Amino acid sequence: MNETHYQARRQTLLASIEEGVIILSSSPLKTRSNDTEYPYRQNSDFYYLTGFEETNSVVVLVKTRESNRVILYVEPHSDEFALWNGARLGVEGAMKLFEVDEVHSILEYPNHIKEILREHIALYFDFYDDSNNLKLAQQSAKELREVRGIKRTIRSFHDVTHLTRSMRLIKSPEEIDKIRHAISLTALAHHEAMKRCRDGLKEFELQASMTYVFLSNGAMNEAYGAIVAGGNNANTLHYIDNRDVLKEGDLVLIDAACEWELYASDITRTFPVNGKFTEAQREVYEKVLDVQLRVIEAMNPDVKRDWLQRYSEELLCQALIDLGILRGEVKALIEAKAHKKYAPHGIGHWMGLDVHDPCPYTDDEGQSLVFKAGMVMTIEPGIYIRADDESVSLKYRGIGIRIEDDILITESGCENLSFMIAKTVEEIESMCRS
Ligand code: GLY
Ligand code: MN
Ligand code: MN
């Protein structure tokens, strides 16, 4: 992505408001425990508008009837900081790299913000920004009300993330390239796990082989905490312990993926620890796969996301009836939410700069969004049967299966961006053998 992309996004954002001041802050550094911090991750909305990856920075976008102005505040260069942590870009470095109107030291922000807010009536910000920048803006707005002779003062507050996240719904070709790259490395990692898997390994050993693939290919971060769940552990949806021994005759569910240049991938595969599905595992697996393929088949620019959710629930419910796990009619079972016991989560979510991209699912009237080319959504049906569920035939107990791919809506339908990852029973068994 080069500077023109970020510039264009800032112009689009500014064009969507009548007038006012927009403030977006970088993420803070987060302490893990004494003297140690979590790896730094930039705020996605801030990054979307700036491409700037340093902490303690703010972007201020100002719109009047006559003009637009974009001001970036950054940490100034410091020899002391550079000695311990490496050089920051600093004001001059940022000025060279970023096509904004002004770059200043973050130390100037408290004095500048009061001047910037003069004669503006609207403030746009992230309601979850708990940095000091907003408090300073609020304080300045309050003080300006007391100043004689100022005719216009801030009187309306708006959620800027609603605007940025509506923009983030439609991915540009450059964003899709980054997602594709993340997926290509995630594909290598899932295939590596299938090849290495055998009974007696620990779940974290499979995780380690995937992490090795990510890091050795330059993907420095996972997009989310990996789930490597052998056997009945797969029935704990957010299982992240990853410490159990993988057992002969069990399946293993892996939901793990990397991030590339802050863009996520999100992939789940479920395969037999010993490389060969049992008859019962295969029966459930092929049902989940059939649901996934049918849902993907139905995705195109005319479909509403809500409809797809309902459709997937009907298919999953029918699959559960076919397996003899539920008894009755689809309609009545869905009304009674009976399928939720075995298929409790949604069919998918937006994906992009965040693995759960926080883009809107409904329009301003609360109506479900209709798919449009450029949207990216995961499709991840699952069936989960707990080992202690005596209402289900013994052969299915302890089986938990999810299959997850990343789907791009196109002008004519959709494209499965993760098509290359082994998924049919035959492909998986063959990958496990190789
Ligand atoms: N990996 C998180 C999810 O599938 O939503
Ligand atoms: Mn997902
Ligand atoms: Mn996932």
Side-chain angles (χ1 to χ4, degrees):
M1 214 102 52
N2 60 39
E3 210 13 49
T4 49
H5 294 108
Y6 298 105
Q7 230 177 344
R9 288 174 188 165
R10 295 191 291 263
Q11 293 315 316
T12 306
L13 176 64
L14 283 164
S16 71
I17 69 171
E18 263 182 41
E19 81 94 47
V21 176
I22 300 171
I23 297 175
L24 264 168
S25 302
S26 62
S27 284
L29 260 183
K30 294 185 182 112
T31 300
R32 179 170 179 273
S33 191
N34 186 40
D35 280 351
T36 55
E37 279 120 17
Y38 286 108
Y40 185 67
R41 172 57 159 75
Q42 188 54 282
N43 173 284
S44 296
D45 293 300
F46 179 88
Y47 183 78
Y48 184 76
L49 290 180
T50 63
F52 192 57
E53 284 203 70
E54 290 183 17
T55 189
N56 207 14
S57 40
V58 195
V59 65
V60 181
L61 298 93
V62 187
K63 179 165 180 177
T64 65
R65 280 184 213 292
E66 295 80 37
S67 65
N68 295 338
R69 196 153 63 108
V70 179
I71 312 158
L72 184 62
Y73 292 89
V74 304
E75 274 265 351
H77 173 78
S78 133
D79 286 341
E80 175 71 7
F81 184 89
L83 170 66
W84 291 92
N85 305 297
R88 293 194 189 93
L89 264 187
V91 174
E92 278 163 26
M95 204 113 73
K96 280 195 202 114
L97 279 181
F98 296 93
E99 296 281 330
V100 292
D101 298 300
E102 296 168 36
V103 180
H104 300 288
S105 158
I106 187 74
L107 302 173
E108 309 272 12
Y109 172 86
N111 289 332
H112 282 195
I113 193 63
K114 193 161 164 188
E115 223 21 67
I116 292 170
L117 289 173
R118 261 179 114 86
E119 305 284 347
H120 280 287
I121 59 171
L123 181 60
Y124 291 78
F125 60 99
D126 176 355
F127 293 180
Y128 291 92
D129 179 351
D130 46 17
S131 73
N132 220 23
N133 307 320
L134 264 185
K135 290 182 203 102
L136 285 165
Q138 243 168 357
Q139 182 61 29
S140 299
K142 209 162 82 183
E143 287 168 16
L144 283 166
R145 288 210 310 196
E146 315 298 328
V147 179
R148 282 167 154 250
I150 294 190
K151 298 190 190 72
R152 306 170 87 238
T153 53
I154 297 292
R155 66 184 73 139
S156 65
F157 297 106
H158 305 266
D159 175 17
V160 67
T161 66
H162 180 69
L163 304 174
T164 51
R165 293 169 187 186
S166 298
M167 291 167 63
R168 284 169 57 186
L169 253 180
I170 307 291
K171 275 73 183 171
S172 68
E174 293 76 15
E175 290 181 286
I176 292 163
D177 281 348
K178 288 176 201 270
I179 293 172
R180 278 187 206 278
H181 193 69
I183 291 172
S184 71
L185 301 182
T186 295
L188 289 178
H190 275 271
H191 287 160
E192 182 65 16
M194 287 178 196
K195 290 179 201 165
R196 287 181 65 91
C197 192
R198 55 184 160 74
D199 69 277
L201 276 189
K202 297 268 180 45
E203 292 163 339
F204 59 71
E205 292 180 87
L206 281 191
Q207 184 181 357
S209 63
M210 299 181 79
T211 306
Y212 180 81
V213 174
F214 297 149
L215 282 178
S216 58
N217 285 287
M220 304 307 283
N221 294 297
E222 293 177 326
Y224 52 91
I227 296 172
V228 182
N232 191 50
N233 292 337
N235 295 315
T236 301
L237 295 178
H238 289 165
Y239 177 83
I240 47 167
D241 273 0
N242 302 352
R243 281 183 240 216
D244 264 355
V245 177
L246 296 164
K247 294 192 205 73
E248 166 74 24
D250 277 352
L251 294 171
V252 56
L253 180 156
I254 301 186
D255 186 348
C258 69
E259 190 175 271
W260 184 259
E261 293 183 1
L262 279 73
Y263 281 82
S265 52
D266 184 7
I267 301 292
T268 308
R269 287 295 184 266
T270 311
F271 57 92
V273 168
N274 68 5
K276 187 111 188 79
F277 284 88
T278 66
E279 202 44 48
Q281 290 165 350
R282 186 186 178 117
E283 282 169 34
V284 184
Y285 189 88
E286 296 211 305
K287 285 292 175 198
V288 178
L289 179 57
D290 181 58
V291 171
Q292 205 229 18
L293 294 175
R294 290 218 251 165
V295 171
I296 295 170
E297 172 88 33
M299 292 173 85
N300 67 62
D302 293 325
V303 166
K304 279 191 176 166
R305 194 259 174 191
D306 268 10
W307 177 86
L308 198 75
Q309 176 61 35
R310 270 198 309 280
Y311 179 56
S312 73
E313 289 185 39
E314 285 164 14
L315 293 174
L316 279 164
C317 195
Q318 186 60 54
L320 290 162
I321 295 169
D322 295 345
L323 291 165
I325 293 169
L326 291 179
R327 275 165 285 275
E329 300 288 335
V330 168
K331 200 159 172 264
L333 288 167
I334 286 189
E335 227 152 81
K337 298 191 177 12
H339 61 301
K340 292 280 185 191
K341 182 175 173 193
Y342 302 102
H345 59 72
I347 190 61
H349 49 82
W350 305 128
M351 192 193 81
L353 272 173
D354 287 287
V355 63
H356 290 180
D357 230 17
C359 306
Y361 286 91
T362 51
D363 63 19
D364 287 348
E365 275 70 53
Q367 296 297 310
S368 176
L369 286 189
V370 181
F371 287 134
K372 276 209 190 83
M375 293 177 173
V376 176
M377 175 162 273
T378 66
I379 294 297
E380 49 182 303
I383 290 181
Y384 310 89
I385 307 153
R386 300 192 62 87
D388 59 2
D389 187 343
E390 292 179 5
S391 66
V392 177
S393 162
L394 185 63
K395 63 177 179 175
Y396 294 142
R397 288 184 215 164
I399 291 179
I401 292 169
R402 175 164 68 255
I403 307 172
E404 176 173 30
D405 283 306
D406 304 333
I407 312 299
L408 167 69
I409 304 289
T410 61
E411 296 293 347
S412 58
C414 72
E415 179 187 344
N416 182 353
L417 298 174
S418 42
F419 72 95
M420 74 297 272
I421 308 178
K423 187 160 74 166
T424 64
V425 165
E426 293 69 30
E427 285 165 355
I428 284 177
E429 290 188 344
S430 145
M431 187 60 71
C432 288
R433 269 196 307 273
S434 65

